[in-house]
Amino acid sequence: MFIDSHCHLDKVDLSPYNHDFNAMLQAAFERRVNAMLCVSISLSQFGPMCELIQDNPAIFASLGVHPLNIDEGLATKEQLLALASQPQVVAIGETGLDYFYQDCPEQFALQQQSFQTHLEAAAELKLPVIVHTRDAREDTLALIKAHGNPESGGVLHCFTESWEMAKAALDMNYYISFSGITTFRNAEELRDVVRQVPLERILIETDAPYLAPVPHRGKKNEPKYVVEVAQCIADLKGVSLEQLAEQTSQNFYTLFSKAVAP
């Protein structure tokens, strides 16, 4: 059994399936992708996303505002606490910091404010946090340390940073999630990080519809391709695909303890 621990199902290209959402899910189930975590990036998108997945017990949800979506409005802690009461929600996020596309101190301050709010809401709810981080290593770790809940922890998703950052996150009870980027030819430094992260702290994801793994690079990504990510990680860790699938699934339910296996 494989679990896609981070995907955006409301953005997946359904044209290969005659725009049938359930057919896309069935294609994943046939490859033994038995559960998925559908990740929120804005409050306006959260409601329709939940409606799309509400009838499927194999799909869980998160609640959050992506750092590059804060122009749509910051979420208040009260909003997060209220919306997270929905039974589908097993995590807070995607939240975090992304300094790659901007060079504006005012914008960075807003991202930090948003991230802190998410961390505080998650700490109060005792839910894990899904963190997006890019070119913001020190600030990301500092905010997690200052405002996160080390008991519920979280995950650095679609990890592309250094082993030093991964180690610091692991020490704060965070998991590290790897995507199709690990299969890219120019990602040898990232593969070195994979080799060092303990297997019991690894998650796998697609981040669909983005970052399709080799040999599907260039195509629109979807949950069924998480198997290629898993194979790459298994090869790097020197374990069988079955062992990798079993361990990462166990990791998923350990971190996202509110999720119940379908």
Side-chain angles (χ1 to χ4, degrees):
M1 179 180 75
F2 302 93
I3 298 177
D4 186 353
S5 70
H6 191 113
C7 54
H8 305 279
L9 296 177
D10 50 332
K11 300 182 181 302
V12 169
D13 180 15
L14 298 178
S15 57
Y17 302 99
N18 293 318
H19 302 281
D20 184 338
F21 181 72
N22 289 323
M24 181 272 295
L25 295 180
Q26 185 60 36
F29 296 152
E30 288 174 359
R31 298 197 73 197
R32 299 191 300 130
V33 182
N34 292 354
M36 306 160 203
L37 177 51
C38 189
V39 176
S40 169
I41 59 170
S42 71
L43 294 187
S44 62
Q45 165 257 359
F46 175 72
M49 182 192 84
C50 287
E51 290 180 13
L52 177 68
I53 66 175
Q54 65 183 354
D55 295 326
N56 199 313
I59 306 176
F60 309 106
S62 73
L63 164 68
V65 178
H66 190 287
L68 297 180
N69 286 79
I70 60 173
D71 289 342
E72 299 180 26
L74 301 181
T76 66
K77 186 163 78 168
E78 291 70 27
Q79 286 176 309
L80 294 173
L81 294 176
L83 290 170
S85 64
Q86 298 192 35
Q88 297 157 295
V89 175
V90 301
I92 297 296
E94 166 174 11
T95 181
L97 304 174
D98 192 321
Y99 296 170
F100 181 78
Y101 293 103
Q102 299 166 331
D103 187 15
C104 174
E106 292 80 8
Q107 195 72 13
F108 295 166
L110 287 174
Q111 287 191 26
Q112 292 164 16
Q113 178 185 339
S114 177
F115 189 22
Q116 178 176 333
T117 299
H118 283 73
L119 288 165
E120 290 175 349
E124 188 167 330
L125 293 163
K126 297 182 179 178
L127 288 177
V129 184
I130 300 171
V131 176
H132 169 106
T133 179
R134 192 172 187 188
D135 283 7
R137 295 178 184 179
E138 292 183 5
D139 288 350
T140 297
L141 293 170
L143 284 166
I144 290 173
K145 184 175 182 179
H147 302 286
N149 182 344
E151 292 186 9
S152 49
V155 56
L156 300 187
H157 105 91
C158 194
F159 192 79
T160 57
E161 303 289 343
S162 66
W163 162 242
E164 288 72 24
M165 184 176 193
K167 178 65 167 59
L170 291 168
D171 289 343
M172 292 189 286
N173 196 29
Y174 268 62
Y175 287 67
I176 308 297
S177 182
F178 296 103
S179 70
I181 294 175
T182 58
T183 70
F184 295 178
R185 185 173 58 183
N186 61 349
E188 189 55 41
E189 290 185 9
L190 179 59
R191 287 188 283 273
D192 283 339
V193 175
V194 174
R195 295 182 182 101
Q196 296 180 79
V197 176
L199 186 57
E200 62 270 17
R201 301 294 288 280
I202 288 177
L203 297 179
I204 53 174
E205 65 171 274
T206 60
D207 202 14
Y210 317 107
L211 303 172
V214 174
H216 309 290
R217 192 173 184 186
K219 299 179 181 178
K220 296 290 187 180
N221 206 358
E222 56 182 287
K224 70 179 183 180
Y225 294 151
V226 79
V227 179
E228 278 73 20
V229 178
Q231 184 66 70
C232 178
I233 302 298
D235 292 343
L236 292 168
K237 301 300 289 183
V239 300
S240 69
L241 183 60
E242 291 298 324
Q243 183 178 347
L244 190 284
E246 180 179 354
Q247 184 65 62
T248 54
S249 295
Q250 180 180 322
N251 297 347
F252 179 90
Y253 289 113
T254 299
L255 175 61
F256 302 108
S257 58
K258 189 178 171 184
V260 178

